Structure formats: C-alpha cells, structure tokens
C-alpha cells in the first residue's frame, strides 16, 4: 500500500541504517531496505521493530529481513530476520523512520491558530477540548469538532 500522507525516500542500504543506529556495520552484508513496517505486514525488503514480549507471536512470524530490537527479545525472531540490537527500540525506530519519511517530522503549524474559545465559534459550534482555529477557517452549521483538533 502506498502511504497517502508522506513520501518514502528509500530504499536505503542496511549499512547506512546500522551506522545511523551506532551499530558496527562489520557483520552486515549490503542489502537495500525499502520501508519500515510493523512485524505483521513487513516483507523481506523491509525493516521492522520488536519492543515488547506481548508481540512475540508476531515476531516469530515476521518476514522482515532486519528487526530493531533489544538483546533480551532477539531470540524470539525467526532465522530469516537479523536483529539490530539497540538500547531503546522505540527511539531507534523513530530515527530510522525519520530517515525514510523526513517530511513526516516537519510540523507546518498554522501560527494564526487560536483557541476556539477566543473566536465567534465558541457559542455556535460543539467542540471538544484543545481545539485551535486558524484565521481563514470557516465552519458550517451543525458541525461537531473533536478533541485535540487544529
């Protein structure tokens, strides 16, 4: 499936990825990695991550060639999946994901956005907590706005 939100800038060679994670590239062969995916949907072209024992059944069946994981969890991976041992799996996964999807970490926040309570909409619209409205926003009648919406 094509990601509808962000452009994938891969593939990247696994050597480049392990260097990013401060892992010695000496024991790795050159192989291109096309994406970062979850344990279930990854293929042999992908890198995945495994951070909790509650996912060990999925980890046992992953088709990914490489997996960011901890030393404790590495034994749960199948033989076809090379573990990339790190101290913090989720932080390391974030680093790699930002390499594949650099535009995903860019926050083009609307500096004109203000709290809905400070607008004329505060009495005309039903809304949740933490709602921000930009200056060029128009809201129609009978709208409901959920929590944490910009």
């Amino acid at each position: 499936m094509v990601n509808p939100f962000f452009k994938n800038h891969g593939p990247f060679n696994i050597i480049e990825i392990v260097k990013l994670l401060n892992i010695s590239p000496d024991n790795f062969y050159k192989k291109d990695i096309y994406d970062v995916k979850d344990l279930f949907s990854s293929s042999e072209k992908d890198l995945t991550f495994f951070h909790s024992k509650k996912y060990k059944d999925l980890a046992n069946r992953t088709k990914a060639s490489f997996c960011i994981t901890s030393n404790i969890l590495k034994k749960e991976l199948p033989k076809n999946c090379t573990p990339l041992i790190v101290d913090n799996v989720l932080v390391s996964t974030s680093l790699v994901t930002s390499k594949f999807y650099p535009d995903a970490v860019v926050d083009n926040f609307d500096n004109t956005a203000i709290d809905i309570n400070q607008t004329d909409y505060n009495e005309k619209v039903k809304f949740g907590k933490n709602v921000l409205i930009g200056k060029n926003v128009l809201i129609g009648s009978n709208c409901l706005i959920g929590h944490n919406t910009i």
Side-chain angles (χ1 to χ4, degrees):
M1 180 175 118
V2 175
N3 186 323
F5 300 106
F6 304 108
K7 182 182 183 303
N8 181 331
H9 288 254
F12 296 101
N13 193 283
I14 191 62
I15 304 295
E16 200 174 339
I17 293 169
V18 297
K19 285 180 181 177
L20 176 68
L21 298 175
N22 292 319
I23 298 171
S24 173
D26 296 342
N27 297 325
F28 293 91
Y29 54 93
K30 290 184 178 181
K31 179 174 180 161
D32 284 340
I33 301 299
Y34 288 80
D35 207 349
V36 178
K37 292 189 179 174
D38 62 85
L39 289 162
F40 179 75
S41 64
S42 57
S43 74
E44 77 267 351
K45 292 182 175 184
D46 301 318
L47 171 99
T48 191
F49 61 98
F50 176 36
H51 70 288
S52 171
K53 285 183 182 181
K54 71 180 178 178
Y55 302 111
K56 77 177 192 174
D57 290 337
L58 289 172
N60 278 279
R61 295 187 307 243
T62 190
K63 297 196 178 10
S65 292
F66 298 93
C67 180
I68 299 171
T69 193
S70 65
N71 200 37
I72 295 169
L73 297 173
K74 71 180 180 182
K75 62 183 176 267
E76 302 294 341
L77 295 170
K79 299 243 186 268
N80 63 300
C81 186
T82 303
L84 304 178
I85 308 301
V86 297
D87 291 330
N88 188 316
V89 175
L90 297 179
V91 169
S92 296
T93 301
S94 175
L95 285 170
V96 173
T97 302
S98 67
K99 183 166 189 64
F100 279 90
Y101 298 97
D103 300 333
V105 295
V106 175
D107 187 5
N108 294 325
F109 183 76
D110 181 356
N111 290 329
T112 69
I114 59 173
D115 190 290
I116 194 168
N117 288 308
Q118 298 173 357
T119 71
D120 294 337
Y121 292 115
N122 70 336
E123 295 179 15
K124 300 175 186 176
V125 176
K126 290 185 179 181
F127 56 91
K129 296 177 183 174
N130 196 27
V131 175
L132 301 177
I133 305 291
K135 74 176 184 179
N136 293 322
V137 172
L138 296 174
I139 301 174
S141 58
N142 299 321
C143 286
L144 302 172
I145 302 174
H147 299 296
N148 304 314
T149 301
I150 300 175

